Every structure is written in structure tokens, then in C-alpha cells.
Amino acid sequence: MLETLEAQYADALEALAASDSSEALDAWQSAWLGRRGAITASLRATGQLPQETRAAWGKRANEIRQLLTHAQEEREEAICAAELLLDLESGFIDVTLPGRQRQAGGLHPSTRILREFARIWGEMGFQVYRSRDVETDEYNFQYLNFPPHHPARDMQDSFYTTTPGVILRTHTSPGQIRAMRDLGAGGTRPLRVILPGMCYRYEQITARSEVQFHQVEGLAVGRGIRMTDLKGTVAAFARRMFGENARVRYRASYFPFTEPSMEIDVECFLCDGAGCRVCKYSGWLEIAGSGMVHPTVLRNGGYDPSEWSGFAFGMGPERSAMLRHDIHDIRYFWGNDLRFLEQF
Ligand code: PHE
């Protein structure tokens, strides 16, 4: 009985060896192993055989099917390799075709500059603290020493939500309070953080102002922190950010949450201070608002202002990116125009 099977096996192997193309292999597959194939038929026949031979027949037929499947795979590999070689030899594969380009994504210019800020401040010992975009009027204004209805609020027109007292933060300064309360351990621990994040202001959109933009807030709290610490720290940052020779200057200013307050300018790195269109022929570029943390703000953060002091600053990374890359319109940042984004 089993001889029939063995003969079939031998024939199948012979036919396989004679198949020398993908098409021939397909034909072999359906003739022997396919749904109507000879081996498949032999396997199906098992059920009709007399009891004594059934088991041996079924077992061998299965083995043969497996052996043939394996042999077919090997044959297929050999044929593929041969066909590829043929293509190469006949010049069917054009090796001069340009390769397929990999689409590599780039980082948004704001992301890049934010990472650079974080790296530089990180080297100087400032850890990143993430605060929230949706704030309360208390954190955004009151704890920062803006009394209700105080005209200083007009400096930062807000987006309100339908929930009374809940607004989108107009600056990253409310994060100062959150960082002090969160990390200050009840006003017992010194602090050195930067707070990067998106801010929102209800303003006319122009080439120079958007309704959303990033800020990087900085805050240092400790015993005996002085104005000179602020100046030295900012000057060190400017050298790392804008180059070894970067010079900074300070102008008296006003913010409710710092006292004294000052605006920080860096010498225009495009004209080296000689005066150009970008610095509006002044030789200087404004890079930050800053000051010594107001005693009321320290108190609201849980610190005793008779023992603790601190400095704070707020920088605009989009401004820096605009200066660095000579971008003339801030609206490009959120316009999602690929012609702009692809340049980074
Ligand atoms: N929050 C201020 C602004 O948005 C900037 C600032 C931050 C000033 C910290 C002083 C200290 O204009």
C-alpha cells in the first residue's frame, strides 16, 4: 500500500527539481500540495482505507506533505536568487536610479530654541518646572501682587473661560507661586527653576505680536540672593546663548511682582552694536523682563521675606528664534506653512 505513497513522493520531488521559474513553482504547488493536489488527495483518502493500514498511511502522507512543503520553500529561495541574478545580468535593475528618500521630520523652531534654553539653564543648575496653561485669576494676577482692578492688568489682556476666575495664563510668572509652594517645602528650601510654557494674550495679531507665544520664566530663591546675582546669572546665560562676547545692559522697569524691576538687553549680535534694521538702529535687543522677587510674592509662595530673597526673569524664545534666524513675522510660528517649517 505505502509504495503508492512513496512513488508519489518521488514523482513530486522530481517535478519540483524540474520547476525552474516562479510560474512553474506555482503550477507545481497546485498540482501536488494545492486543494486539488495529488498529495492532498492521498491524505483525504486516509479515511476510506481499511482499519489496519489507515494509521501508517495517514502518518506517512502527513510526513510527505511536510517534507514537500519544506523542499518547495528551499526551491523557491533558489529560484528567487537565480531570477534576481538574471535581472542584474540583463540590466533590468537600474542601479543608477536615485535612492528612495527617507522623510526625516524636523523639530519646530520654537521646540529647538526651548531645548537650547533648557540645556543652557540646566548647565547653570536650573531645573525645569512645568506649570499649567489654564490658570486662575489668583495665580495669574493676585498672588503676583496685581490687586483686583489694578491698571497693571491692562499690560496683559486675558482670554477668559466660561468658568468665572479661570483664564489662560498671560505669562509664566504664576508658575513662580506654584514652584515655590510645590518645591519650597513650606519656605524652607532654596530653589532654582525655569518654567517654559505657552502663554496667551487677547491682542491684535501683528507681525510682532501673537495671541499665543512661549515664555521661559526663571526663578531663584535663597538666603542672601542679591541683584548682582541676577545680573551675573543673566550675563552668563547671554554669553552661552549669544556668544562669548555678548554684552548685556539693564534698564529700570516696572512689574508688580518684582522690586526693583529691570529690562535686560543684549548687544545686537547682527550688527555688533553698530545699529541695524533688526535692533532698530539702537544696537541693543531686549531679551527679558526681570527683577528681585517682591516680598509679597515670596510670602505668597510660603517664604519669609525677612530671611529669603530671590530673583526672577521672563524670556521670549520666539523672539530669540526670530533674531537668530532673521524671521520677520511672528505669525509664521503657528501658521503651519511647510515652506517655513521645512527650513529647520
Ligand atoms: N511676566 C513678565 C511679562 O510677561 C516678565 C517677567 C518675568 C518680569 C519675571 C519679571 C520677572 O512681561
Side-chain angles (χ1 to χ4, degrees), residues 205-255:
I205 299 176
T206 68
R208 294 180 60 79
S209 71
E210 250 288 9
V211 294
Q212 64 175 73
F213 54 90
H214 285 103
Q215 277 191 350
V216 176
E217 190 91 4
L219 172 68
V221 177
R223 292 177 201 270
I225 290 188
R226 299 174 300 177
M227 189 94 158
T228 43
D229 297 311
L230 168 57
K231 292 172 74 175
T233 305
V234 169
F237 169 80
R239 282 196 297 275
R240 286 166 196 243
M241 183 75 197
F242 302 108
E244 233 356 89
N245 301 319
R247 293 204 300 158
V248 283
R249 74 171 186 189
Y250 310 87
R251 280 178 293 119
S253 185
Y254 172 77
F255 300 101

Side-chain angles (χ1 to χ4, degrees), residues 175-200:
Q176 286 188 30
I177 305 285
R178 295 199 180 271
M180 283 190 276
R181 291 186 173 183
D182 190 12
L183 307 176
T188 60
R189 243 188 250 152
L191 218 64
R192 233 191 285 173
V193 289
I194 57 162
L195 306 96
M198 192 69 91
C199 304
Y200 309 84

Side-chain angles (χ1 to χ4, degrees), residues 66-241:
Q66 263 167 31
L67 288 166
L68 285 175
T69 305
H70 191 67
Q72 181 200 9
E73 281 164 11
E74 275 180 357
R75 186 77 192 128
E76 192 169 1
E77 265 171 42
I79 289 174
C80 276
E83 284 176 350
L84 181 67
L85 201 66
L86 215 67
D87 284 346
L88 280 172
E89 278 167 354
S90 63
F92 186 77
I93 290 177
D94 182 356
V95 292
T96 66
L97 263 181
R100 294 208 180 92
Q101 282 235 330
R102 277 254 217 115
Q103 293 276 348
L107 291 175
H108 191 279
S110 290
T111 308
R112 292 164 62 112
I113 207 99
L114 279 168
R115 290 192 181 179
E116 197 169 336
F117 272 47
R119 178 181 59 76
I120 295 174
W121 285 113
E123 284 169 8
M124 293 169 65
F126 285 74
Q127 86 184 87
V128 171
Y129 184 85
R130 298 227 167 255
S131 192
R132 53 183 71 189
D133 288 33
V134 180
E135 265 299 359
T136 60
D137 185 273
E138 276 170 318
Y139 277 89
N140 198 80
F141 292 121
Q142 292 173 39
Y143 293 146
L144 292 172
N145 202 31
F146 289 79
H149 312 298
H150 191 275
R153 287 176 179 235
D154 295 345
M155 290 161 76
Q156 303 183 1
D157 280 321
S158 317
F159 279 112
Y160 291 86
T161 67
T162 48
T163 312
V166 177
I167 63 172
L168 299 184
R169 66 173 167 202
T170 58
H171 53 167
T172 43
S173 301
Q176 286 188 30
I177 305 285
R178 295 199 180 271
M180 283 190 276
R181 291 186 173 183
D182 190 12
L183 307 176
T188 60
R189 243 188 250 152
L191 218 64
R192 233 191 285 173
V193 289
I194 57 162
L195 306 96
M198 192 69 91
C199 304
Y200 309 84
R201 288 190 197 172
Y202 186 51
E203 278 181 20
Q204 186 71 38
I205 299 176
T206 68
R208 294 180 60 79
S209 71
E210 250 288 9
V211 294
Q212 64 175 73
F213 54 90
H214 285 103
Q215 277 191 350
V216 176
E217 190 91 4
L219 172 68
V221 177
R223 292 177 201 270
I225 290 188
R226 299 174 300 177
M227 189 94 158
T228 43
D229 297 311
L230 168 57
K231 292 172 74 175
T233 305
V234 169
F237 169 80
R239 282 196 297 275
R240 286 166 196 243
M241 183 75 197

